[in-house]
Amino acid sequence: MTLFIRTIFAIVVLAVIGGTIAVFWNIENRLPPISYNEFLEILEKDEVADVHLRGSEVSLTDSYGREFITYSPDVPALVPRLLEKGVIVNGSSENPSPLWDLAGIAVPVFLILVVWYSMLRRGGEDESESQFAKDKITRFTPQNRQVTFRDVAGVSEVKEELLEVIDFLQRPKKYSSLGAVIPRGILFQGPPGTGKTLLARAIAGESGVPFFGISGSDFVEMFVGVGASRVRELFKEAKKNSPCIVFIDEIDAVGGHRSAGSAAGGQDERGQTLNALLVEMDGFSRDETIIILAATNRPDILDPALLRPGRFDRQISILPPDVKGRFKILQVYAQKMELAENVELEKIARSTPGFTGAELASLMNEAALIAGRKGDSSVRLEHFEMAKDRILMGVERKGLVISDKDRKTMAYHEAGHAILAKFLPETDPIHKITIIPRGKALGHTQQLPLADRHAYPKEYLLSRIKILMGGRLAEEICLNQQTTGAEDDFRQAVELASKMVCKWGMSENIGPMSYLRDDGSFLGEQLSNTAHSEKTNQEIDEEVKKLIETCYREAGELLTKEKDFLIYLANMLLVNETLDLEEMDIVYECTTKKRRDGIDPSAEDDGMACFFTPTE
Ligand code: ADP
Ligand code: ZN
């Protein structure tokens, strides 16, 4: 679009300059005009020395050397009289001058050339064009004020993962001499405002290398070829400045699945841009120390080509911070502020579930603004309350904020899964329990780690089904409710149970049988329209149902037995939002201790007492 405007602008400027020149040229050369009668008079008086005819225009020089111009209505009749009087007659064609002739042709041709050139060469490498592509690149050199890891809070795990990258940027020789292949591309995925850009800049800051950032949406322009040229330009810059960091925000704008495009015209452009990006990423030599970071909140729509080895083969997901993370982010911003005594950042952190880093930053800023407007010397708790209301009301929160009731449901649901995972035999260890909402796009974290090449024992599979039932069961046992939150759990459970019955020969009544269809797909929901007898189908259905019901009952018994622990854990989750295995164990220890001492661990008011203070 900008290019189009530039072209138009250039044309207008040229036209104005041309017009001005023409006007001046005319004025400069204008002779004093006289009427035709006057001319005839002078002619009669024999005072005309010579004339110059140009069309109907007659310029004359009289015998005193003065020059005039006039127009003759009848030049052919005039000429014989002039010759009669012995006047010297010159003539030229109608155009004012040969130079003018040339200009008349040259100017339009020149303009056409300019337009045509800029249209054609947009994808090219000429200087003005590359300057144009450069406009969109944000750059930070080590001389600019640097962002460091200290500015990014609440993402300690991610930071740890990135330490290796920083080391590589600082000492590439060490790695290349060992023959190590360092990840070229790292993809940050997570909702907007979670600090992805900030992290990318912090990596550059920590390693002391330049940072080149561009947004994916800047690649996609109206004209075909712009995006590809920008990609090339970006990488050209990067190679010149290696070691460095290239950051592509909103990569889904270019790297979206090729079939997921909206406008047909945009397809081609995006495809070209994506191809250029892939070519550039593959085209690095080993001694170019360039790390490409990209950010997206729609990893599900990315073209798989982008995720292949050697490209963005490392993915790091960044979720909105939990209460500890929020506390740390608030601390970062509080350093720069004058806070009143009554402000407890921990409380603010607790009252802002679902807030992203960006929202917390603006919360702090709003509060300071309000305090300033009121003429206060420090930012007080009331200011934070007002700022929070303003943020919650003003901005569209994109569904991130969840109601207290939903949080409670999630806490019990997740606690149910976790407790079963802790007590049942043959389970995968728990990594983390969290009630931080994640967008649908980020998918379900608890993915079925089932691949056919592993030999999973029946016991493991049964435990898995029971764990999947735990969410719904906890809601029923403690909250006496059924919600849609268990949808995915049930789907997975039924799939597993069906496989156990039809594929792995793990049910008593069906026995060691495999009911696979010809195409290799297994018999799940489609049982009814297969070639097996009605009776077999019915048996399979019954077996699957029996399996699930048994698991459901047994899991329910276990959870009922541990109900006080379940309530305690859910409350701890409500406060802390995320618990790791170690913290869950601490909650369990507390529970057993309370049981020994005859205290009810599920007494709700105790929930806050065990807030795990953030450490980093
Ligand atoms: P994203 O790229 O994920 O959309 P940004 O990195 O642009 O998010 O974050 C926007 C702003 O929000 C940052 O400039 C920073 O002020 C603030 N912010 C976000 N996350 C954090 C964090 N973890 N720690 C400190 N500030 C943060
Ligand atoms: Zn669940």
Side-chain angles (χ1 to χ4, degrees):
M1 198 57 213
T2 18
L3 185 91
F4 187 63
I5 292 169
R6 276 175 187 228
T7 312
I8 298 278
F9 183 71
I11 292 172
V12 170
V13 167
L14 283 173
V16 168
I17 292 173
T20 315
I21 289 173
V23 166
F24 275 104
W25 194 83
N26 257 345
I27 289 171
E28 286 273 290
N29 293 279
R30 178 125 309 164
L31 299 174
I34 51 172
S35 69
Y36 191 53
N37 310 37
E38 281 176 289
F39 166 68
L40 290 181
E41 257 173 53
I42 301 172
L43 184 63
E44 284 313 310
K45 283 193 262 170
D46 285 326
E47 283 178 356
V48 175
D50 68 87
V51 299
H52 190 108
L53 299 173
R54 191 189 297 134
S56 60
E57 187 184 297
V58 184
S59 10
L60 62 134
T61 313
D62 67 8
S63 40
Y64 310 103
R66 293 176 301 185
E67 290 179 290
F68 300 99
I69 192 165
T70 189
Y71 292 91
S72 159
D74 190 3
V75 177
L78 178 65
V79 176
R81 287 187 65 187
L82 289 170
L83 294 175
E84 225 171 81
K85 293 275 180 191
V87 177
I88 305 162
V89 179
N90 295 304
S92 63
S93 69
E94 290 203 19
N95 282 321
S97 85
L99 199 76
W100 208 229
D101 264 2
L102 204 68
I105 300 166
V107 169
V109 167
F110 179 70
L111 287 181
I112 289 169
L113 276 179
V114 166
V115 175
W116 179 73
Y117 183 74
S118 58
M119 294 270 188
L120 267 194
R121 294 288 296 169
R122 215 174 305 110
E125 299 279 315
D126 61 297
E127 266 315 299
S128 68
E129 204 39 59
S130 60
Q131 190 50 49
F132 172 49
K134 274 178 197 164
D135 289 351
K136 295 282 182 183
I137 304 176
T138 357
R139 66 200 71 220
F140 295 99
T141 54
Q143 286 82 42
N144 291 93
R145 196 195 83 78
Q146 285 292 302
V147 175
T148 64
F149 270 176
R150 246 176 305 147
D151 301 304
V152 198
V155 282
S156 44
E157 275 174 49
V158 176
K159 285 198 237 175
E160 229 157 82
E161 223 178 319
L162 292 170
L163 285 179
E164 183 188 297
V165 176
I166 292 168
D167 196 42
F168 167 66
L169 282 167
Q170 284 172 335
R171 291 176 297 165
K173 289 266 150 39
K174 185 178 100 180
Y175 289 88
S176 57
S177 66
L178 286 170
V181 180
I182 283 292
R184 184 111 277 168
I186 299 173
L187 182 68
F188 291 144
Q189 41 183 268
T194 43
K196 299 181 291 294
T197 312
L198 198 65
L199 261 175
R201 284 191 57 192
I203 297 171
E206 289 285 330
S207 7
V209 302
F211 169 97
F212 298 95
I214 195 164
S215 173
S217 53
D218 287 335
F219 284 140
V220 184
E221 288 272 345
M222 205 169 105
F223 297 111
V224 174
V226 181
S229 111
R230 287 208 175 129
V231 169
R232 283 192 293 270
E233 192 51 43
L234 177 68
F235 281 86
K236 209 165 90 190
E237 279 278 290
K239 282 178 189 167
K240 258 190 266 169
N241 290 284
S242 150
C244 69
I245 291 216
V246 171
F247 177 66
I248 305 171
D249 205 359
E250 298 175 54
I251 195 169
D252 39 288
V254 247
H257 223 279
R258 276 173 247 217
S259 58
S262 44
Q267 283 293 39
D268 228 23
E269 166 66 350
R270 276 209 327 196
Q272 276 193 22
T273 311
L274 178 59
N275 279 339
L277 185 63
L278 297 176
V279 166
E280 292 292 339
M281 284 192 81
D282 293 344
F284 283 137
S285 66
R286 272 181 155 260
D287 40 72
E288 273 157 345
T289 315
I290 298 174
I291 299 267
I292 304 148
L293 305 170
T296 179
N297 55 353
R298 299 290 314 275
D300 53 323
I301 62 160
L302 283 188
D303 195 301
L306 269 174
L307 306 177
R308 282 202 202 115
R311 294 170 186 166
F312 293 103
D313 47 6
R314 206 182 291 175
Q315 287 153 44
I316 297 182
S317 63
I318 303 175
L319 292 176
D322 65 0
V323 64
K324 294 166 229 180
R326 292 199 298 272
F327 178 67
K328 282 182 225 153
I329 294 173
L330 290 172
Q331 275 181 323
V332 167
Y333 290 96
Q335 282 166 8
K336 304 165 204 154
M337 292 168 66
E338 199 63 51
L339 293 186
E341 291 271 300
N342 73 346
V343 175
E344 285 173 60
L345 293 182
E346 197 179 295
K347 254 193 205 143
I348 299 176
R350 262 188 234 160
S351 67
T352 45
F355 272 54
T356 61
E359 283 164 332
L360 291 170
S362 76
L363 171 74
M364 294 298 263
N365 191 47
E366 278 289 332
L369 287 177
I370 292 170
R373 199 163 49 245
K374 303 215 160 179
D376 286 321
S377 59
S378 61
V379 189
R380 286 180 312 193
L381 197 59
E382 309 88 87
H383 304 143
F384 279 101
E385 290 302 326
M386 289 167 76
K388 199 175 102 188
D389 287 347
R390 185 176 293 179
I391 288 176
L392 284 179
M393 281 188 300
V395 197
E396 186 201 351
R397 295 298 317 284
K398 300 199 177 93
L400 268 180
V401 162
I402 36 172
S403 69
D404 285 348
K405 190 156 181 293
D406 283 351
R407 286 185 82 230
K408 196 166 171 185
T409 302
M410 277 172 78
Y412 278 91
H413 183 107
E414 295 305 323
H417 286 311
I419 287 179
L420 290 171
K422 182 177 168 66
F423 289 118
L424 289 171
E426 295 269 349
T427 55
D428 295 317
I430 298 165
H431 173 57
K432 217 179 189 181
I433 333 166
T434 177
I435 56 166
I436 305 269
R438 52 197 116 233
K440 254 246 149 4
L442 292 173
H444 209 266
T445 30
Q446 274 199 330
Q447 282 200 329
L448 222 54
L450 277 188
D452 290 68
R453 64 201 141 89
H454 293 301
Y456 286 101
K458 185 177 176 183
E459 187 84 293
Y460 172 90
L461 299 171
L462 288 175
S463 289
R464 263 218 73 86
I465 296 179
K466 287 177 194 168
I467 293 171
L468 286 166
M469 296 292 129
R472 160 62 60 87
L473 276 165
E475 289 181 55
E476 278 185 346
I477 293 169
C478 302
L479 305 174
N480 198 17
Q481 67 178 23
Q482 296 187 337
T483 65
T484 53
E487 176 182 339
D488 203 52
D489 297 337
F490 287 152
R491 190 189 52 73
Q492 287 188 38
V494 170
E495 194 180 318
L496 255 184
S498 310
K499 278 185 181 167
M500 288 174 73
V501 173
C502 303
K503 202 174 174 184
W504 299 323
M506 288 177 177
S507 88
E508 280 163 35
N509 286 347
I510 302 284
M513 281 295 293
S514 177
Y515 289 97
L516 279 176
R517 284 199 292 190
D518 290 343
D519 60 5
S521 66
F522 93 105
L523 309 172
E525 308 84 69
Q526 310 99 325
L527 277 177
S528 47
N529 47 26
T530 58
H532 304 297
S533 71
E534 194 61 27
K535 187 166 161 288
T536 313
N537 288 342
Q538 229 169 25
E539 275 174 9
I540 290 174
D541 274 348
E542 272 163 27
E543 279 302 294
V544 171
K545 191 154 181 275
K546 207 172 88 191
L547 201 70
I548 299 233
E549 274 173 354
T550 312
C551 287
Y552 192 76
R553 200 189 54 243
E554 287 176 15
E557 282 162 9
L558 210 157
L559 278 184
T560 312
K561 205 173 115 235
E562 299 288 339
K563 187 175 171 185
D564 52 352
F565 178 35
L566 177 61
I567 295 172
Y568 194 22
L569 187 66
N571 280 328
M572 292 308 292
L573 260 179
L574 276 173
V575 179
N576 289 279
E577 291 171 23
T578 310
L579 296 174
D580 57 22
L581 180 59
E582 207 179 314
E583 288 165 334
M584 184 173 163
D585 284 342
I586 295 174
V587 179
Y588 186 59
E589 270 167 39
C590 290
T591 310
T592 44
K593 191 165 162 291
K594 286 180 181 210
R595 280 175 184 164
R596 254 202 327 268
D597 299 347
I599 306 169
D600 181 8
S602 60
E604 286 215 19
D605 56 334
D606 195 39
M608 298 291 184
C610 204
F611 177 69
F612 294 101
T613 35
T615 48
E616 195 171 312

